Amino acid sequence: MSVATQDSGQTRIVTVTEPRIDAALAIRFKDDMRTATKDAPERVVLDLAGVEFVDSSGLGAIVGSMKQLGAGRRLDLAGLTPLVEKVFRLTRMDAVFRIFPSVDVAMNPEPD
Amino acid sequence: MHRAPQLERSCTATFEEVRRVLIALDRFLDNLEDSTAPADDLRIVAGEVLNNVAEHAYDSCAAGPVRFRCILRPKGFLCRVEDQGRALGDMPEGETPDLSGPLPEGGFGWFLIHQLAQGVHYRRRGGRNQLNFTIPRIAAEITGASKGS
């Protein structure tokens, strides 16, 4: 598995355990995400703090992971490292996801 | 005179082998003593270009070689990627991803290349594909340097 899971209240935290979500991992990552979120509560937070590299295939796999959650559940992102943040910003995917600096902040967000 | 930092790596054009080249590129970039080198931009573009070769240039059952070269010059990283696969045809322009409808899960690769690289030039020569591009130094830092001179 390229991810590890932990539930906290009504949130499932999915931590990526591989340093690169790239073309070589993308298909397996999306499958692992399906397994990791199959019986997940309404909210899933994907912890990317340990990921130093995401390419367009990896980005597509993260988008696909959100889509396969289906309506009524949502995927938030946390802990983007600088390169990963740049890929999300350039492709404007930073407007599609709620992004938090860390899992801690994602679990205790400031009120909007 | 210091020798300009440069890297050359070849591999079989598969996603796994490309990852090895990109990890070698990481090591090269981590060791550069040049704080204005656009390291992350090069990591992103090299990944897109090399994986594009792995995905499209060869039949999956007979992946051939791909070679990556880069050299750090004052204007940035000058890069060349060569393979012996099928011709690329017209280089995709890399349109802005359309986020208005169902979210796309692909099509970001050439967009990222064109966002981060300059002078992207493709040519077919002697049965080889050759893609040249430059990863410019970060604009703010170039401005800062020219102010001081």
Side-chain angles (χ1 to χ4, degrees):
Chain A
M1 283 285 278
S2 57
V3 296
T5 64
Q6 186 193 337
D7 285 358
S8 174
Q10 283 305 299
T11 300
R12 173 158 302 173
I13 300 162
V14 180
T15 303
V16 183
T17 54
E18 294 277 344
R20 309 172 75 86
I21 310 178
D22 59 11
L25 180 66
I27 292 172
R28 183 157 68 85
F29 174 79
K30 197 174 156 185
D31 285 347
D32 289 348
M33 283 295 287
R34 182 180 290 115
T35 305
T37 59
K38 199 166 54 185
D39 56 350
E42 181 181 303
R43 185 184 186 212
V44 176
V45 174
L46 184 63
D47 182 4
L48 292 164
V51 177
E52 58 200 36
F53 182 82
V54 166
D55 64 16
S56 62
S57 301
L59 179 69
I62 293 169
V63 173
S65 301
M66 178 187 67
K67 287 161 81 170
Q68 71 191 5
L69 279 180
R73 291 196 290 174
R74 80 162 188 268
L75 182 68
D76 293 342
L77 308 180
L80 277 62
T81 56
L83 182 148
V84 176
E85 190 275 332
K86 187 160 200 174
V87 169
F88 273 81
R89 180 161 42 80
L90 289 171
T91 57
R92 297 173 196 174
M93 283 295 156
D94 58 346
V96 170
F97 293 90
R98 291 180 72 193
I99 298 177
F100 298 91
S102 66
V103 168
D104 281 352
V105 178
M107 296 307 290
N108 301 286
E110 299 276 324
D112 288 332
Chain B
M1 269 295 279
H2 291 290
R3 191 165 164 269
Q6 53 190 292
L7 178 75
E8 174 172 345
R9 284 287 185 284
S10 296
C11 72
T12 304
T14 65
F15 294 148
E16 286 75 17
E17 291 291 311
V18 164
R19 179 191 276 178
R20 281 180 218 265
V21 170
L22 296 177
I23 288 171
L25 176 63
D26 277 345
R27 268 201 306 275
F28 166 75
L29 294 171
D30 289 345
N31 288 327
L32 280 183
E33 291 168 358
D34 187 332
S35 61
T36 68
D40 276 355
D41 292 1
L42 178 57
R43 288 182 231 266
I44 293 169
V45 174
E48 297 305 330
V49 171
L50 290 169
N51 278 318
N52 192 61
V53 172
E55 191 168 5
H56 297 297
Y58 297 104
D59 295 322
S60 55
C61 55
V66 59
R67 180 167 67 163
F68 170 74
R69 283 187 284 173
C70 70
I71 184 164
L72 181 57
R73 296 291 190 195
K75 68 188 293 195
F77 288 105
L78 311 189
C79 308
R80 174 173 291 179
V81 172
E82 285 179 297
D83 66 76
Q84 299 166 30
R86 71 172 69 95
L88 179 60
D90 290 333
M91 185 171 64
E93 287 176 21
E95 290 171 11
T96 307
D98 179 7
L99 305 184
S100 61
L103 285 176
E105 291 179 44
F108 300 112
W110 280 104
F111 176 75
L112 285 168
I113 292 167
H114 287 294
Q115 287 277 303
L116 297 173
Q118 292 178 350
V120 184
H121 179 73
Y122 166 74
R123 65 182 171 185
R124 181 81 177 172
R125 171 174 277 201
R128 292 165 187 265
N129 295 313
Q130 194 179 83
L131 191 76
N132 296 325
F133 56 91
T134 299
I135 305 296
R137 287 183 194 269
I138 295 121
E141 280 152 347
I142 291 173
T143 309
S146 63
K147 269 182 202 158
S149 63

